[in-house]
Amino acid sequence: MGAQFLKKGGGTGRRRRRGGAARMSEINVTPFVDVMLVLLIIFMVAAPMLTVGVPVELPRTSAGALPAEQEEPLSVTLGNDGTVTIMSTEVSLNDLIPQLRAIAAERRDNRVYLRADGAIPYERVVQVMGALNSGGFNNIGLVTEQGGPRFDGQPN
């Protein structure tokens, strides 16, 4: 099972003539490129489906990010039109506390992230925070965008 050499005249031989036989040592990258293109297409199709949320204009602050969790975080969103959404399901205000209690009974973590549009009144945000507390979630994190004003005299 030795390596064979190709001769210009055809056939195989043991002796190598000058300029006659050469080994094929090139790597065929076509299958690799094909696989990469298929994976690229799969990720391009799947990436938009990974984000769940309701579009809101979050207020900007200079606060840092919270540490990561093991359980998927529960998020409640207040839209600029007054709608309340738990994860991706819109909930009426009358059903908010019973829904939250049912969710709290199934979860280990009592942390919830509240996303509120910056254009809605503060009173509405505090009312929903009270409902979250009544529903069994007393660890409430307010979600904001970074890059807001700093009040310590430092630039943004």
Side-chain angles (χ1 to χ4, degrees):
M1 272 250 146
Q4 295 184 349
F5 296 97
L6 301 175
K7 291 169 84 177
K8 286 185 179 175
T12 59
R14 288 188 169 260
R15 273 197 279 168
R16 187 173 169 184
R17 288 193 206 162
R18 195 172 233 174
R23 280 193 176 180
M24 291 279 295
S25 63
E26 297 175 12
I27 298 174
N28 188 2
V29 295
T30 304
F32 177 73
V33 172
D34 290 344
V35 170
M36 289 297 114
L37 288 174
V38 168
L39 288 175
L40 176 68
I41 291 170
I42 289 171
F43 287 128
M44 287 174 56
V45 170
M49 294 181 221
L50 297 177
T51 57
V52 175
V54 178
V56 292
E57 185 66 36
L58 296 173
R60 297 190 177 274
T61 64
S62 61
L66 293 174
E69 302 175 355
Q70 283 130 8
E71 196 173 32
E72 181 181 359
L74 178 68
S75 68
V76 176
T77 305
L78 294 172
N80 61 355
D81 55 353
T83 59
V84 178
T85 307
I86 298 175
M87 296 300 276
S88 60
T89 307
E90 192 171 323
V91 179
S92 69
L93 291 176
N94 295 333
D95 295 336
L96 180 61
I97 294 177
Q99 287 276 349
L100 289 171
R101 286 187 180 147
I103 293 171
E106 296 177 5
R107 293 179 61 90
R108 293 177 294 167
D109 192 13
N110 65 349
R111 180 178 290 181
V112 63
Y113 292 113
L114 179 60
R115 300 174 64 220
D117 195 289
I120 64 172
Y122 179 68
E123 177 184 14
R124 184 63 150 183
V125 176
V126 174
Q127 289 172 350
V128 172
M129 287 176 71
L132 289 171
N133 196 355
S134 297
F137 293 96
N138 56 7
N139 190 351
I140 302 169
L142 297 174
V143 180
T144 60
E145 292 284 335
Q146 289 186 341
R150 294 181 58 148
F151 298 106
D152 59 357
Q154 300 293 324
N156 290 347

